[in-house]
Amino acid sequence: MALRGPRPALLLLLALLAACLVLASGQPWIEPNFIFQRKHVNYPKTPTPDANDYCNKMMLLRGLYGKAVNTFIHEPVSNINRICRDDGIPKIGGLRESKDEFSITQCIFNPDTLSISYIGVVKKLKIIVGCWNFYAVYYLEQL
């Protein structure tokens, strides 16, 4: 006798099997770290004529246009994630501050123009991140 029609129980079993295989593979779920990278990491730094052009370009490319403030970190992801292990100093609220200074560009919305544009400020400072499973998942803006 051939199977006919949809079999929800079979589909559920296959979905659960796939989930178990992913979990058993030992690979961590780090989607929040990928989101953090999209919003805050640009290494190597995208070349532009000046910091304002950099911010206008990157905020548009990363889908962050219209956000009041955003910071891009110009260091390898591995260096940033190390803050969540040995290279970070614990702070209040589960945050960690880097021991070393990082190259960053802060993009600040410019309210004086009629169109959406950003003022770029290049800095070198200690950064503060939130961590999950030893991966950076949140950046604390410092103005």
Side-chain angles (χ1 to χ4, degrees):
M1 184 166 156
L3 294 175
R4 292 187 184 170
R7 300 282 185 217
L10 181 60
L11 291 174
L12 178 61
L13 181 63
L14 289 173
L16 288 173
L17 178 63
C20 287
L21 289 173
V22 168
L23 292 173
S25 72
Q27 296 297 319
W29 178 75
I30 52 173
E31 183 67 21
N33 184 250
F34 292 137
I35 294 169
F36 170 85
Q37 290 177 41
R38 182 183 61 80
K39 288 181 179 178
H40 299 293
V41 180
N42 182 236
Y43 179 80
K45 183 178 178 182
T46 301
T48 56
D50 62 44
N52 293 350
D53 286 339
Y54 172 83
C55 285
N56 288 319
K57 179 178 184 174
M58 291 305 298
M59 294 296 280
L60 185 60
L61 285 174
R62 299 288 177 95
L64 302 169
Y65 227 59
K67 188 174 176 185
V69 178
N70 192 68
T71 299
F72 292 101
I73 306 164
H74 310 300
E75 301 284 341
V77 173
S78 59
N79 291 0
I80 299 166
N81 285 334
R82 266 191 232 123
I83 298 168
C84 298
R85 292 181 180 92
D86 300 329
D87 288 347
I89 301 163
K91 303 299 262 182
I92 291 176
L95 300 173
R96 294 183 68 89
E97 181 179 31
S98 64
K99 292 179 181 176
D100 299 319
E101 292 185 335
F102 283 69
S103 297
I104 66 164
T105 302
Q106 275 189 329
C107 301
I108 303 163
F109 180 74
N110 183 0
D112 296 333
T113 61
L114 295 176
S115 63
I116 296 176
S117 69
Y118 288 87
I119 298 167
V121 181
V122 177
K123 297 180 181 180
K124 198 163 179 78
L125 53 78
K126 293 180 180 183
I127 63 172
I128 299 173
V129 297
C131 302
W132 183 75
N133 279 358
F134 303 109
Y135 291 95
V137 296
Y138 172 79
Y139 179 81
L140 180 67
E141 292 291 349
Q142 304 167 67
L143 295 178

